[in-house]
Amino acid sequence: MAQINPSILSADFARLAEEARRVGGAEGADWLHVDVMDNHFVPNLTLGTPVVESLGRAADIPLDCHLMIEEPDRWAPAYVEAGAGSVTFHAEAAAAPVRLAREIRAKGARASMALKPATPIEPYEDLLPELDMLLVMTVEPGFGGQAFLDIMLPKIRRTRQLIDKRGLQMWLQVDGGVSAATIERCAEAGADVFVAGSAVYGAEDPAAAVRALRRQAAAAAGPAGEGRE
């Protein structure tokens, strides 16, 4: 089943509570994607745990926190405690990804790992059972509004093949440049969770944009997508 996670990075930061609620409701977004950047791992600085706590109180959908930070082994558990329902750390930054994934799960959240565009999936195949979701970045992390990298589609396909080969019920997320023009290609390649920033918050009706993107993804995925949980 296709899931749409609007990125709050593309929202109006002066009205975050209202912006969080604009994409929820009946048939609205599945999760609210929260980009956390530390100006070290990526060249940008966004928000931290106090804002995540506030968003958790304001939103009517769970929070999907994507940590683009150094030392996620140290900081990621705090985002679970702040209210995140899913926490994604980067493979390139984690010192002990298996231990970290288990700690995130033990604290009650879904554990996810992200890969930059140049990071291959194959070295992490044996780690997949420790995860609830794998995020394939379709742009370089750090800034919103970037153009989708078509060269990531084969990597999405390979990742889906590895997940299916092992019989895992884990989600495959894509983040970066996802829009009405690109989401079908991502779904056909095997992704089932889609982070959309400007494609949602740049629309006149963000909730309607969420529904339209979900329909596109579901249609492109076909029967194979319907069988995924």
Side-chain angles (χ1 to χ4, degrees), residues 153-170:
L153 291 170
K155 182 176 173 181
I156 297 169
R157 292 190 186 94
R158 293 196 304 273
T159 303
R160 172 53 61 192
Q161 289 166 0
L162 291 178
I163 292 170
D164 291 347
K165 182 180 77 172
R166 286 178 168 261
L168 301 173
Q169 294 298 320
M170 66 182 297

Side-chain angles (χ1 to χ4, degrees), residues 7-26:
S7 172
I8 200 73
L9 184 66
S10 296
D12 182 349
F13 271 36
R15 303 183 298 125
L16 282 184
E18 181 184 340
E19 294 282 73
R21 289 189 288 267
R22 286 178 76 199
V23 297

Side-chain angles (χ1 to χ4, degrees), residues 120-214:
I121 178 58
E122 287 78 9
Y124 298 99
E125 178 182 353
D126 290 340
L127 191 153
L128 293 180
E130 302 289 340
L131 302 169
D132 298 295
M133 183 170 72
L134 195 290
L135 166 55
V136 173
M137 292 297 299
T138 45
V139 298
E140 291 292 342
F143 295 93
Q146 297 182 65
F148 179 82
L149 295 175
D150 284 281
I151 57 173
M152 290 298 101
L153 291 170
K155 182 176 173 181
I156 297 169
R157 292 190 186 94
R158 293 196 304 273
T159 303
R160 172 53 61 192
Q161 289 166 0
L162 291 178
I163 292 170
D164 291 347
K165 182 180 77 172
R166 286 178 168 261
L168 301 173
Q169 294 298 320
M170 66 182 297
W171 300 341
L172 176 51
Q173 185 179 67
V174 289
D175 180 3
V178 175
S179 67
T182 60
I183 194 168
E184 293 179 6
R185 280 174 278 167
C186 294
E188 289 167 355
D192 51 15
V193 183
F194 307 87
V195 177
S198 54
V200 171
Y201 278 110
E204 184 174 341
D205 185 340
V210 166
R211 293 191 292 271
L213 288 170
R214 187 185 290 115

